[in-house]
């Protein structure tokens, strides 16, 4: 019995064969032969779609907490019509329930949208890495549908990777950064198979947002990812990378919730859902760990990529400054009001007091005089604005900009943008908040959670801006030119995406100056 035949829900078929059902060309289900076997997809709005193709073996049983292993081949034709089950999730936004209701443990699958499946098309390829603070994330969410982007003449790939403690817990006896290793395995699958779907393996662009943007930054620094992509896009890159001691200490607290030690041997038989729940339990009380864990405890960040000396030997900024990935063309950017969404979720929009602002400045502003420098640079800012600025800068804005600056200084080419268009949702109160770029870049303005930012009926202005951003991303994937000049430390020109787009000097110069000498080290264990 083949792997595909024995796996529940794999829908491997025999009698119809690779040709599939008969019908006029263009209406027949698309069939593609991959290195692992033949898959049959569907067609949606003129685009061939393949879902749930395994790129690695299910990381369960003997493979729990192991580096990803290549998926076994199958015989016959595998139906590729449904997304694979998501990996275990944290409880944020009900994602744990979505994962719990899924059938099967084949968490590591890819999905492909192609306007022209076939080995001769040689189209640019965009590989999406979703965010979710490294604790949630699944490729089957409607906001990540790749169809609209693919209609710009590119092949779009999305995939699942292990998140939370399954993917990033620092456990004795397990490799660090398993979630990042999953991403490398998915990119390896793309390199080996994408030509059959109409893609050019020499023109692969990896792009991601938030933790996905942080993953893109990590991939730029990882030797095992070298050669797997030609271009990279980091959108609102999450700037947290842990020292091994911090990661191990947090993992120990999570394992202790289950009465276990933080070792692969102790945890390998634990129900993944219980382990995810243990991570949630620690997250709910992270503030009490602040004297030991520092800023991640204040922001409830229990996992992040670990600078372990093996999978990830340096932070992305260290690696890029040293010339790593100099030949990779880079596109990076952030939204203007990154923090606003989180402030709203916390119920603090318009409610931040002076004590909360002062505490945020003390915790997150760089250096011993960082708080004073913020107050000097923004003399008219009230508590709400100061709170928002320092949170936005620490977690997303300045780490993202520094990628471009480090890359450019080392001789690489980088383009920078800032999304300054205010989301119409919630009466415009969210501004240009974190996550607003996702529906605009992927073109899914009317579906999924990010559509709440756009409003019930997307306006012509939103549609036009989305079209502009999709064109920029796909042009960059095709030839490295998004449509505006490369960034340099003289003029600092960036693209501003707004109702009236413009190229201008980087608008967050005061924040840039405050963070100019900050090294963005791996976050340490304090005591």
């Amino acid at each position: 019995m083949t792997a595909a035949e024995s796996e529940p829900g794999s829908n491997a078929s025999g009698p119809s064969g690779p040709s599939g059902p008969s019908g006029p060309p263009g209406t027949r289900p698309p069939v593609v032969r991959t290195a692992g076997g033949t898959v049959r997809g569907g067609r949606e709005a003129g685009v061939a779609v393949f879902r749930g193709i395994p790129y690695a073996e299910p990381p369960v049983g003997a493979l729990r907490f192991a580096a990803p292993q290549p998926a076994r081949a199958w015989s016959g034709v595998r139906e590729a019509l449904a997304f694979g089950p998501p990996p275990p999730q944290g409880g944020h936004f009900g994602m744990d329930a979505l994962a719990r209701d899924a059938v099967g443990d084949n968490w590591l699958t890819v999905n492909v949208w192609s306007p022209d499946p076939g080995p001769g098309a040689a189209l640019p390829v965009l590989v999406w890495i979703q965010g979710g603070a490294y604790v949630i994330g699944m490729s089957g969410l409607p906001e990540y549908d790749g169809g609209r982007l693919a209609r710009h003449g590119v092949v779009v790939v999305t995939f699942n990777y292990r998140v939370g403690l399954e993917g990033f817990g620092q456990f004795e006896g397990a490799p660090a950064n398993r979630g990042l290793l999953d991403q490398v395995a998915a990119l390896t699958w793309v390199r080996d198979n994408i030509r059959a779907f109409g893609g050019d393996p020499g023109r692969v662009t990896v792009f991601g947002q938030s933790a996905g943007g942080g993953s893109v930054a990590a991939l730029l620094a990882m030797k095992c990812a070298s050669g797997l992509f030609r271009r990279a896009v980091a959108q609102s890159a999450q700037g947290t990378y842990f020292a091994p001691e911090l990661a191990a200490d947090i993992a120990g607290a999570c394992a202790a919730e289950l009465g276990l030690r933080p070792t692969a041997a102790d945890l390998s038989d634990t129900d993944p859902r219980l382990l995810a729940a243990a991570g949630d339990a620690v997250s709910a009380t992270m503030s009490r760990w602040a004297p030991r864990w520092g800023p991640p405890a204040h922001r409830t960040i229990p996992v992040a990529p670990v600078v372990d000396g093996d999978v990830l030997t340096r932070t992305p900024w260290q690696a890029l400054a040293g010339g790593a990935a100099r030949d990779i063309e880079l596109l990076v950017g952030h939204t203007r009001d990154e923090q606003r969404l989180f402030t709203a979720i916390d119920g603090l929009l318009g409610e931040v007091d002076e004590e909360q602002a002062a505490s945020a400045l003390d915790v997150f502003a760089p250096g011993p005089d960082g708080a004073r420098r913020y107050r000097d640079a923004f003399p008219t800012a009230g508590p709400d604005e100061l709170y928002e600025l320092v949170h936005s800068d620490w977690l997303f804005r300045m780490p993202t900009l520094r990628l471009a600056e480090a890359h450019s200084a080392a001789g690489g080419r980088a383009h920078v943008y800032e999304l300054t268009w205010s989301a119409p949702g919630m009466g415009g109160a969210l501004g240009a908040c974190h996550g607003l770029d996702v529906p605009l870049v992927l073109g899914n303005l009317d579906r999924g959670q990010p559509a709440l930012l756009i409003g019930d009926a997307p306006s012509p202005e939103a549609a036009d801006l989305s079209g502009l951003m999709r064109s920029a991303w796909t042009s960059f994937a095709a030839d490295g030119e998004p449509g505006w000049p490369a960034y340099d430390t003289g003029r600092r020109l960036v693209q501003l995406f707004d109702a009236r787009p413009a190229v201008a000097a980087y608008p967050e110069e005061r924040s840039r100056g405050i963070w100019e000498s900050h090294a963005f080290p791996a976050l340490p264990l304090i005591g």
Side-chain angles (χ1 to χ4, degrees):
M1 181 176 289
T2 68
E5 289 167 341
S6 63
E7 181 182 325
S10 66
N11 295 323
S13 65
S16 60
S19 61
S22 60
T27 64
R28 301 170 188 165
V31 176
V32 168
R33 186 176 298 278
T34 74
T38 301
V39 293
R40 179 165 49 226
R43 295 189 185 275
E44 298 172 9
V47 173
V49 185
F50 303 82
R51 296 183 172 93
I53 306 172
Y55 69 84
E57 281 294 286
V60 297
L63 297 181
R64 181 89 178 273
F65 305 122
Q69 300 299 307
R72 290 173 291 170
W74 61 88
S75 61
V77 179
R78 183 187 186 100
E79 298 293 343
L81 300 174
F83 290 110
Q89 304 276 308
H92 311 278
F93 309 112
M95 298 286 272
D96 55 341
L98 291 178
R100 186 170 58 247
D101 293 342
V103 177
D105 53 19
N106 196 3
W107 305 331
L108 305 182
T109 58
V110 300
N111 319 292
V112 182
W113 287 260
S114 176
D116 188 7
L123 298 172
V125 182
L126 278 160
V127 181
W128 172 250
I129 304 178
Q130 71 268 359
Y134 302 105
V135 295
I136 58 173
M138 57 185 73
S139 62
L141 295 178
E143 52 262 41
Y144 301 145
D145 185 278
R148 285 187 173 94
L149 201 56
R151 290 196 285 276
H152 284 254
V154 296
V155 177
V156 177
V157 179
T158 67
F159 63 92
N160 287 335
Y161 61 95
R162 282 173 283 181
V163 294
L165 294 167
E166 294 290 331
F168 294 94
Q170 184 80 351
F171 301 135
E172 180 184 333
N177 299 307
R178 296 173 298 279
L180 295 179
L181 292 175
D182 291 346
Q183 296 170 16
V184 172
L187 287 166
T188 301
W189 183 93
V190 169
R191 180 197 63 192
D192 295 343
N193 293 281
I194 206 63
R195 190 181 301 279
F197 293 86
D200 181 352
R203 287 196 294 170
V204 172
T205 297
V206 61
F207 72 128
Q209 183 267 351
S210 195
S215 295
V216 169
L219 291 168
L220 289 166
M222 293 166 57
K223 290 183 179 179
C224 61
S226 178
L228 294 177
F229 53 95
R230 182 173 176 179
R231 301 183 177 101
V233 183
Q235 303 171 211
S236 301
Q238 183 172 327
T240 51
Y241 299 82
F242 286 177
E245 297 79 10
L246 173 62
D249 206 58
I250 297 175
C254 295
E257 288 286 325
L258 301 173
L260 299 170
R261 298 176 303 160
T263 68
D266 266 28
L267 294 168
S268 60
D269 292 330
T270 303
D271 186 326
R273 294 172 295 183
L274 293 179
L275 186 58
D280 286 345
V282 169
S283 294
T285 60
M286 278 194 85
S287 60
R288 71 183 180 90
W289 294 90
R292 186 170 179 82
W293 296 345
H298 289 274
R299 280 301 302 242
T300 316
I301 300 173
V303 293
V306 182
V307 183
D308 66 311
D310 181 17
V311 176
L312 189 60
T313 59
R314 297 177 287 177
T315 67
W317 307 282
Q318 291 173 324
L320 293 180
R326 187 185 289 120
D327 58 337
I328 301 293
E329 292 161 322
L330 185 60
L331 171 61
V332 303
H334 56 73
T335 70
R336 182 189 59 213
D337 309 309
E338 293 280 2
Q339 171 63 23
R340 193 80 56 84
L341 176 66
F342 303 103
T343 304
I345 290 172
D346 291 339
L348 291 176
L349 205 58
E351 302 294 332
V352 176
D353 59 30
E354 177 58 38
E355 182 179 354
Q356 290 167 314
S359 176
L361 289 170
D362 288 342
V363 169
F364 298 108
D369 62 344
R372 177 192 60 79
R373 295 184 68 190
Y374 264 97
R375 293 188 184 275
D376 289 348
F378 302 93
T380 64
D384 286 286
E385 185 177 358
L386 289 169
Y387 181 90
E388 179 173 298
L389 282 167
V390 73
H391 276 286
S392 295
D393 287 342
W394 177 78
L395 190 53
F396 298 115
R397 298 201 311 180
M398 295 304 107
T400 302
L401 178 68
R402 186 62 63 81
L403 292 173
E405 295 199 324
H407 196 52
S408 299
R413 183 179 181 185
H415 297 262
V416 179
Y417 72 89
E418 181 171 338
L419 177 59
T420 54
W421 182 72
S422 291
M426 289 184 62
L430 295 178
C433 66
H434 188 72
L436 181 59
D437 52 325
V438 174
L440 293 171
V441 168
L442 290 169
N444 300 315
L445 305 181
D446 55 354
R447 63 183 71 178
Q449 291 181 352
L452 298 175
L453 306 175
I454 303 295
D456 293 336
S459 67
E461 184 176 276
D464 289 346
L465 183 57
S466 176
L468 180 64
M469 295 184 76
R470 293 199 308 273
S471 293
W473 266 238
T474 53
S475 294
F476 180 73
D479 57 22
E481 292 288 351
W484 65 90
Y487 183 87
D488 64 66
T489 55
R491 298 181 298 169
R492 303 190 192 280
L493 294 179
V494 306
Q495 174 69 54
L496 303 181
F497 285 110
D498 210 323
R500 294 184 178 180
V503 175
Y506 181 63
E508 315 306 338
E509 180 61 22
R510 287 179 288 178
S511 288
R512 191 200 65 79
I514 293 171
W515 289 83
E516 188 172 21
S517 61
H518 185 68
F520 292 99
L523 295 167
L525 180 66
I526 295 175

